[in-house]
Amino acid sequence: MALHHHHEHGGTALTDAAQAALVNAGEQWTDMRADIFAVLATYEKPASAYDIADQVSQKRGKRVAPNSVYRILDLFVATNLARRVESANAYVANSHPGCLHDCIFLICDTCGTATHLDDDRLSGSVRAAAEGAGFAQVRPVIEVRGKCADCD
Amino acid sequence: MALHHHHEHGGTALTDAAQAALVNAGEQWTDMRADIFAVLATYEKPASAYDIADQVSQKRGKRVAPNSVYRILDLFVATNLARRVESANAYVANSHPGCLHDCIFLICDTCGTATHLDDDRLSGSVRAAAEGAGFAQVRPVIEVRGKCADCD
DNA sequence: TCAGAAATGATATATTGTAACCTCAACCGA
DNA sequence: TCGGTTGAGGTTACAATATATCATTTCTGA
């Protein structure tokens, strides 16, 4: 099924969806996790763990160590609440936590924003190529660096 | 043209091809660059700048700072003598320095080795998707993490 | 051969990522 | 209730990756 109806979420709906997905995975939705997700979801670009640590520290009036942020980001990535952007060493919130996709990120070298594509046909081809080469447990990383329409 | 004859090089032939490509780009083929390329070309996995710094330091009996290695790696990437593997923060020698391809890396999470695919049709689709979204000066990053046939 | 450019060296520092161990609270069974 | 276990987060230390700046050396072309 290449065409697919996405329940794109934003704001409260996104937070609710994230919470539901995390609980559904047997994990707890704690204050710390909520805070980190909130920062990630409102950040305009892919956020580094240190960016998030700073924001959350401010919000809480108390230093939160990057360490703690990494733990939670790892959990988010594992449960599909967030994605890591490999070529930027940074993370973005997944706007439809319920759906599993190999997603494609377009990252602007100028302004740093990332836009998100889903193209199951394309990612499927990448998967197939890797599997054809004998790879198993395949996780595609498909990103495109370039200059976005706004920065041309 | 999806099918393409690659002049795959190894050993001395690869070094010669790299040297030719670099000189052709108007850059110098210095001892330091030769040493770094040699390490990169013989390294069995993607090598980090620090891996290379260590090897070259040993070979020369004198500390070579990572800094110097980065400079030369950046040059190699710019001139297509080497590629950066984003998801591994590491570099590999390009086995056919003369040809321009968007290449695809399959990286084994277990043994760390990277195999290299060229599939112009696939990378072309990725490019097209990005350009369709308004991106310019597009540089695809297509990597696949997984488990290689040997490590199954 | 000399002046300028290019390459490398040296040092410092910034950024990203892990490891080890501790505290605390919630929960569960005896 | 008591005591143990577990999960979440805190604290500290450190490792790995990357960049900035300025000094020095080497090369090149006039």
Side-chain angles (χ1 to χ4, degrees):
Chain A
M1 179 176 74
L3 289 180
H4 183 93
H5 182 215
H6 284 153
H7 298 278
E8 291 277 348
H9 297 294
T12 308
L14 177 54
T15 303
D16 290 350
Q19 173 170 0
L22 198 59
V23 169
N24 202 46
E27 300 286 348
Q28 302 175 33
W29 183 256
T30 64
D31 286 355
M32 186 74 244
R33 291 173 185 185
D35 285 351
I36 287 178
F37 189 84
V39 168
L40 198 57
T42 54
Y43 220 80
E44 69 291 345
K45 319 179 196 183
S48 78
Y50 284 75
D51 292 336
I52 295 170
D54 289 346
Q55 296 284 310
V56 175
S57 294
Q58 267 195 259
K59 183 169 181 173
R60 303 200 142 203
K62 177 169 186 297
R63 173 182 148 87
V64 173
N67 186 342
S68 297
V69 175
Y70 274 110
R71 268 193 303 238
I72 291 175
L73 286 174
D74 288 348
L75 174 69
F76 284 178
V77 169
T79 53
N80 201 36
L81 267 67
R83 303 282 192 161
R84 178 173 166 84
V85 182
E86 295 291 347
S87 70
N89 297 329
Y91 299 81
V92 295
N94 186 344
S95 53
H96 39 85
C99 309
L100 281 167
H101 282 289
D102 299 319
C103 54
I104 302 173
F105 291 111
L106 313 180
I107 303 109
C108 179
D109 288 327
T110 302
C111 67
T113 59
T115 58
H116 174 199
L117 293 184
D118 283 319
D119 185 331
D120 289 342
R121 194 178 53 74
L122 201 44
S123 58
S125 300
V126 173
R127 273 183 180 276
E131 283 159 0
F135 269 63
Q137 302 169 38
V138 157
R139 184 176 69 84
V141 172
I142 311 177
E143 302 176 4
V144 182
R145 310 295 312 212
K147 214 165 186 186
C148 76
D150 292 344
C151 291
D152 269 342
Chain B
M1 180 175 71
L3 290 179
H4 184 92
H5 182 217
H6 284 152
H7 298 278
E8 290 278 347
H9 297 293
T12 307
L14 176 54
T15 303
D16 290 350
Q19 174 172 0
L22 198 59
V23 170
N24 202 46
E27 300 286 347
Q28 303 175 33
W29 183 256
T30 64
D31 285 355
M32 186 73 246
R33 291 172 185 185
D35 284 351
I36 288 179
F37 189 83
V39 167
L40 198 57
T42 54
Y43 220 78
E44 70 290 347
K45 321 177 194 182
S48 78
Y50 284 75
D51 292 337
I52 295 169
D54 289 347
Q55 296 284 311
V56 175
S57 294
Q58 266 194 260
K59 182 169 184 173
R60 303 202 142 201
K62 176 167 187 298
R63 173 182 149 86
V64 173
N67 165 340
S68 297
V69 175
Y70 274 111
R71 266 194 304 239
I72 291 174
L73 286 173
D74 289 348
L75 173 69
F76 284 178
V77 169
T79 53
N80 201 38
L81 267 66
R83 302 283 192 161
R84 179 175 164 84
V85 182
E86 294 291 346
S87 71
N89 298 329
Y91 300 80
V92 296
N94 186 345
S95 54
H96 40 83
C99 310
L100 281 167
H101 282 287
D102 299 319
C103 55
I104 302 173
F105 290 111
L106 314 180
I107 302 109
C108 179
D109 288 328
T110 301
C111 67
T113 58
T115 58
H116 174 200
L117 292 184
D118 283 320
D119 185 331
D120 290 341
R121 195 179 52 73
L122 200 44
S123 58
S125 301
V126 172
R127 272 183 179 277
E131 283 159 1
F135 269 63
Q137 300 168 37
V138 157
R139 183 176 67 88
V141 173
I142 311 176
E143 301 177 4
V144 182
R145 310 296 311 212
K147 216 167 185 184
C148 75
D150 292 344
C151 291
D152 269 342

